[in-house]
Amino acid sequence: MPASTEVDNDRTRTGQEDAQAKEERGARLKSLYLQLTEPAHPLIIQGMVMSALSAACGFVPYLIAIAIAQAALRDAMPSAGTLALMVVAAIAFAAADRMLFGGGTGICHKADADFRVHARHVLLDHFSKLPLGWFTAGRAGELAALLERDLQMIMNLPGIFLKQLVIAVIVPACIAALFLAVDWRVFLAYIALMPALYVWSKKMADAAGAGPAEEERANAHLAGRVLEFVQAQPILRATGTARNGWQALENDISRDHETTVRTLKMTQKPITVHTLLVYASFGLTFLCATTLLAIEAVTPVEYLFVIVLALRSTD
């Protein structure tokens, strides 16, 4: 067998092993995540439901406004009593949107706080069972970073992140349904770039997770090295090697800075591409709606309705 073929086979096997290891690691992390968030599950579900209802309620005032405007253009305004009821309904749904949003946010924050407390108890219970030899100076710094900074960073993951995820799904789905009711061509223009937006949203989420994780590992390592350097001062000064110890610490500080710069570059591209795609989708919808208005396929009221909702989808 040629040497190049053997190398290709080795690379294939290595890639398959890496993919399998990544899948197994993902399954373990998912199991651990579900275990750590278990006490907060009821609150998480409640917050997600309230967020979904909030997003849906937010579209009702738009529908009522367009119904009133179309009636005015047809010179067929409803009676004063009906008009008053429509206005009250619009105000009520707008208020319900804000109240559900605020209530859901508060519940999600409570879920995140419960998650952090439970996670600390689980981790401390685990660390209490480790052998004493495990607790080196470097690991002490990593442990302190894990129990405070790292948990503080991820405490918004169970509730707030899932709440935002629900809104990110419900809002475009409602807008797409409303555009379909206006004109199927506007609907197609709006959803044309959604596959690309999904792909780059996933890349953006992966980069947002991998970048800070790498940076936090570097920060935890640096914290451990600083602790080692401080604790070693009596020995370093007694042996006259304090300068060498400081030089090693300076190298670690430089590597930590390089990691920060690298992670920033890692997240920059997907964010930029995703933002461009969002506004490209808005531009495509705007162009389609304007063309339909020019050929009188939609009314001016429907045109404004489409533009307002399309703008909302860029938030």
Side-chain angles (χ1 to χ4, degrees):
M1 181 182 294
S4 61
T5 304
E6 293 180 359
V7 171
D8 290 341
N9 290 339
D10 288 342
R11 287 176 178 173
T12 301
R13 283 194 296 271
T14 302
Q16 291 173 346
E17 291 172 357
D18 290 344
Q20 183 178 0
K22 184 177 180 181
E23 184 177 347
E24 291 175 354
R25 184 167 61 252
R28 289 196 300 270
L29 287 174
K30 182 179 179 181
S31 176
L32 177 61
Y33 173 78
L34 291 174
Q35 176 189 351
L36 293 177
T37 58
E38 184 177 0
H41 284 176
L43 290 176
I44 292 173
I45 294 172
Q46 187 178 349
M48 291 172 65
V49 170
M50 292 179 71
S51 299
L53 291 174
S54 167
C57 286
F59 287 99
V60 176
Y62 292 103
L63 295 174
I64 294 174
I66 194 173
I68 294 173
Q70 286 179 328
L73 287 177
R74 293 194 304 266
D75 198 20
M77 285 291 286
S79 65
T82 302
L83 192 60
L85 286 175
M86 295 174 72
V87 171
V88 169
I91 295 172
F93 275 101
D97 172 18
R98 293 298 86 195
M99 291 176 65
L100 287 167
F101 181 85
T105 301
I107 289 172
C108 287
H109 279 305
K110 176 65 167 58
D112 293 335
D114 289 351
F115 157 69
R116 184 172 60 171
V117 170
H118 182 62
R120 280 176 172 164
H121 287 162
V122 171
L123 290 171
L124 288 173
D125 179 66
H126 173 72
F127 289 132
S128 68
K129 298 173 183 177
L130 293 173
L132 292 177
W134 184 89
F135 294 93
T136 63
R139 283 177 173 163
E142 294 176 1
L143 176 58
L146 172 65
L147 290 176
E148 289 302 323
R149 185 176 60 246
D150 289 1
L151 278 180
Q152 184 67 35
M153 284 183 62
I154 67 173
M155 73 169 289
N156 289 339
L157 180 61
I160 298 301
F161 172 75
L162 292 176
K163 165 182 167 292
Q164 293 173 342
L165 182 62
V166 167
I167 294 174
V169 171
I170 294 294
V171 170
C174 289
I175 291 176
L178 293 172
F179 284 173
L180 182 60
V182 172
D183 190 287
W184 62 271
R185 288 162 291 192
V186 176
F187 168 76
L188 290 179
Y190 179 69
I191 68 170
L193 294 179
M194 279 193 175
L197 279 166
Y198 171 77
V199 170
W200 282 98
S201 293
K202 193 171 185 306
K203 289 183 179 181
M204 189 168 61
D206 291 341
E214 182 178 347
E215 187 174 354
E216 283 305 310
R217 284 193 295 270
N219 290 342
H221 174 74
L222 180 60
R225 293 305 299 269
V226 170
L227 187 60
E228 289 177 349
F229 178 73
V230 172
Q231 292 178 340
Q233 283 300 299
I235 297 176
L236 292 174
R237 296 185 182 188
T239 57
T241 57
R243 180 60 191 169
N244 293 336
W246 174 243
Q247 184 61 48
L249 183 59
E250 280 188 326
N251 293 336
D252 286 324
I253 292 173
S254 297
R255 281 193 291 270
D256 180 73
H257 174 70
E258 291 170 1
T259 301
T260 300
V261 173
R262 186 171 62 255
T263 55
L264 287 174
K265 291 180 178 179
M266 183 190 305
T267 58
Q268 186 176 10
K269 179 180 177 180
I271 291 175
T272 301
V273 174
H274 183 270
T275 302
L276 290 174
L277 285 171
V278 167
Y279 282 95
S281 177
F282 167 73
L284 190 59
T285 306
F286 199 131
L287 177 62
C288 178
T290 303
T291 302
L292 293 175
L293 178 66
I295 64 174
E296 298 182 351
V298 297
T299 66
V301 173
E302 290 172 333
Y303 172 75
L304 291 175
F305 178 68
V306 168
I307 301 306
V308 169
L309 288 186
L311 274 172
R312 178 171 177 175
S313 67
T314 63
D315 292 342

